Amino acid sequence: MKPGRLLFNRYSLLAALLLTAALALLYWAHTRAPDAETRYRTMAVTRGELTQLASANGTLNPVVLVNVGTQVSGTVKKWFVDFNDHVVQGQKLLELDPAIYQAQVEQSLANQANANSQLKLAAANEARARALFQLEYISRQELDVAVQAHDAAKAQLALVRAQLTRDRTNLGYSVIRSPVTGVVVSREVDVGQTVAASLQTPTLFRIAQDLARMQIDSSYAEADIGSIKLGQRADFRVDAFPSRSFRGIVKQVRLNPTTQQNVVTYDVVIAVDNPELILMPGMTAYVNILVAQRRGALLVPNAALRLRLAETRPARSASPSPPNGDSARREGNRGTVYVLDQGTPKPVRITVGITDNRMSEVLSGGLKENDAVIVEDRQPPAKPTTTGPRLF
């Protein structure tokens, strides 16, 4: 046999063997392909209770927190209360050095004595001038000068008395008293410290009026603020008591927005009762506000709503009207889930209501209780085949 023909027969045999191996491999892969029950993980549609919460972080604060300042400047001479002390309205909190204000009062007293003597002299001169005028010993102009001097002495005395009142008031302000009954949360000054009240009133103490009633100042995003109403229940936890849940009531939704990095939030104030006095100002509260609740709702897993299968496309046919009427139609969002129909995934369009981020309420659509919806595709997506460069 010629060498070229022998070489051709060998290549033909090798090609036949490779083709047979490829066909066998394809047959084996086809017979080993998982069935639908093995490939897809499903969960049943159930009925039950569903609660939707709006979550945010906040800070516990007293309902009334008074910043006690001073109207006069001076050096702290002595303080009488400290952190956590209970005080009553009018109780002495702190005393500034009164020496300067005491000297001003004494100066005003001296000025008052001088003004009194000037007034007495002016009154005597006026009386003498009137008597001389009756005897026609002086002119009318001289009498008018004496009357004017008497009136000026009266005005000067009134001015000095007002100055004395002001100085006595400043002397009284050197003693700081509590404006409310409550608990001292913080003390900002110490003995020997100088406080200046010329431009801005310095804070000396912070007093919480009633720690048995507190509030949470929390920031909610604008996406959640529409579902938060006054009187809604709010449950919260604090790091100090991780195993305990506390309850409050939405007291106020403030209209003033806060914008940070294009994120708009609103302050939601939650009233909290603290009869045990275990909640402290400044604690971080993790708040959940109950915005909606359903009982006996048809529930579908959120994983089924997030699933998208490449080999199927959602149907375009319109689903039936929501059973709850127009309000449900306005509240609901459209979604697609997949059910197995004779081993093949079939898309089903539904209308979704509230959610707790794990399950969602089904308002309408082609689902019913105990239907199995696909929540996971265990088979990884096929990798795209690579082809060589096109020559033509």
Side-chain angles (χ1 to χ4, degrees), residues 18-46:
L18 291 176
L19 179 60
T20 302
L23 292 175
L25 182 60
L26 289 175
Y27 176 77
W28 179 83
H30 179 73
T31 56
R32 293 285 295 176
D35 55 5
E37 287 74 10
T38 305
R39 174 178 176 180
Y40 301 108
R41 186 169 69 90
T42 61
M43 290 183 64
V45 177
T46 60

Side-chain angles (χ1 to χ4, degrees), residues 136-148:
E136 297 182 353
Y137 287 156
I138 61 175
S139 64
R140 182 72 183 184
Q141 181 181 1
E142 292 175 317
L143 175 62
D144 292 340
V145 171
V147 172
Q148 186 275 334

